[in-house]
Amino acid sequence: MAAPLQAQGLLRDADLEYGLKQLAAPILSAAGLSPSRVKILVVNDSSLNAFVVSNDAIYLHYGLINRMETAAMLQAVISHEAAHIANGHLTRRLTNLANTRTASGLGLALAAVAAAAGAGSAAGGIALGTQSSAQARFFKHTRAEEASADQSGIRFMKSAGVDPQGMMDVLEIFRGQEVLAVTRQDPYLRSHPLSRDRVRAVEGFVSAYGNITAANPDHAYWFDRVKGKLSAYTRSPKWTLRRLKESPYQDVRLLREAVAEHRQSRTKQALRAIDSAIALRPNDPFLHDQRGQILIETRNFQAAVAAYGRAVQLAPNDALVLSGYGRSLLAAGDIRNARQALEKARSIDFRDGVMLRDLSVAYAKSDQIGMASLVTAERYALSGRMKDAKIHAERALGLLPTGAASWQRAQDVLIAAERAEKKRR
């Protein structure tokens, strides 16, 4: 049975997601999609893959991001996935799944996240793994869809001022894998079939649309920052420290150094590096957010509140920044303000399981046990633990005012959990 991707894990980080948004925004706009609505999320998986499972999120494995060599290559992957959304490939699949018995597990996971979001559709934005045959059928695109997404993606890149050659460079990574056994292929190739005809077609599209030689300097910066920070978290600290000079941007070098030193529990060195980065970009909320993370993880709670507070001043509507601020306030014992920050974060983006955990604790410490049970039920639903979600949803229903919005949210989770139970029988 399909399981939500949350079970596998998302790497939620305000800096990473903002950088990916800067890279994706011109592509999404060219595709007729809203950059504020379609999020780019990172999957905690070292393999090479990217996919969509709803109309409001594109998922990239961190292994794929680390493998990309230029901003244009990463934007090509985003553009291709955006084309699957814009061209209606996903909408058709979701419609088909509603009546597809063999894909019931996948539909169940989508229903679970919709319930957790309090939404009436399965567009909550959760992604799923790729183990079952039902999942494989859902994720595997036809050759016609791939050709359509390639052509549209290259057109989006050209309109956005991104070199279409990036698309060809991505395919070169996978060239030759089609002759390997399926178990040895990268997941991306299994869901995005590659053939000689497809490669030749992409070469033709790239040639027809022409190259763009002057790369956008902002794109180059954010690509270096995204890949630099991500690799600092996913590669060994020693590997990162040996390669600091590879980045042409001093603030990125300092950010990577701060992450590497923090991961080695060298707090003074980590703070020195992040403070130097902040001195270069004092109004960058995500550097203050990183400082807050270092401080809260070393149990310096009051200083973490100050760091996250500055980040919130600079980015008041960033859900992940608000989540970090709420977490630091909770750790410092300021329950009322912690709950307010976490409630605002949830209203903007419910996908953060850590935020939901902290919010449930804040409600419990405020003696709002019904709300604590509701948020816990939503967190379990988001992670696919529907049996646990049902227990907490039933508890919430017994404590919340009947008919209230919070009661309705608990009812939604209970309905999804009961549907899951029926599917298992």
Side-chain angles (χ1 to χ4, degrees), residues 119 203 223 238 316 383 392:
E203 288 176 337
F223 172 74
K238 291 182 179 179
S383 63
H392 288 276

Side-chain angles (χ1 to χ4, degrees), residues 19-35:
L20 289 168
K21 182 178 181 179
Q22 302 314 297
L23 293 169
I27 299 291
L28 295 173
S29 295
L33 303 173
S34 170

Side-chain angles (χ1 to χ4, degrees), residues 187-219:
Y188 187 81
L189 195 68
R190 295 199 293 272
S191 58
H192 298 72
L194 185 66
S195 66
R196 292 181 180 178
D197 288 342
R198 182 184 169 196
V199 172
R200 282 195 293 266
V202 170
E203 288 176 337
F205 295 149
V206 171
S207 177
Y209 282 103
N211 293 338
I212 295 175
T213 56
N216 187 315
D218 287 341
H219 295 174

Side-chain angles (χ1 to χ4, degrees), residues 149-166:
D150 286 338
Q151 185 170 14
S152 295
I154 290 171
R155 177 163 49 83
F156 300 156
M157 292 174 72
K158 181 68 174 181
S159 298
V162 177
D163 190 355
Q165 179 61 36

Side-chain angles (χ1 to χ4, degrees), residues 92-156:
R92 176 183 56 78
R93 290 176 189 209
L94 290 173
T95 300
N96 290 344
L97 278 177
N99 299 312
T100 302
R101 203 174 190 182
T102 57
S104 59
L106 188 61
L108 166 62
L110 292 170
V113 75
S121 68
I126 198 94
L128 302 106
T130 53
Q131 299 305 311
S132 73
S133 59
Q135 290 166 313
R137 282 193 292 276
F138 180 85
F139 283 105
K140 189 175 179 64
H141 295 283
T142 66
R143 291 191 177 187
E145 287 176 341
E146 286 299 272
S148 168
D150 286 338
Q151 185 170 14
S152 295
I154 290 171
R155 177 163 49 83
F156 300 156

Side-chain angles (χ1 to χ4, degrees), residues 108 390 416-425:
L108 166 62
K390 181 182 179 181
E418 289 175 343
R419 287 175 179 170
E421 194 173 15
K422 289 179 181 179
K423 297 289 185 182
R424 288 195 297 268
R425 290 173 182 172

Side-chain angles (χ1 to χ4, degrees), residues 309-371:
R310 178 57 178 153
V312 169
Q313 288 178 346
L314 295 167
N317 295 311
D318 188 291
L320 293 176
V321 171
L322 285 164
S323 176
Y325 184 46
R327 189 174 311 122
S328 66
L329 288 166
L330 189 63
D334 189 347
I335 307 304
R336 183 178 64 84
N337 287 320
R339 193 181 71 243
Q340 290 178 353
L342 293 165
E343 284 173 341
K344 184 176 180 181
R346 187 203 174 278
S347 71
I348 297 170
D349 183 0
F350 73 93
R351 296 177 181 89
D352 186 357
V354 174
M355 174 273 297
L356 292 175
R357 180 201 64 198
D358 292 337
L359 182 56
S360 67
V361 171
Y363 277 129
K365 288 181 177 292
S366 303
D367 293 325
Q368 297 186 47
I369 307 304
M371 289 300 298

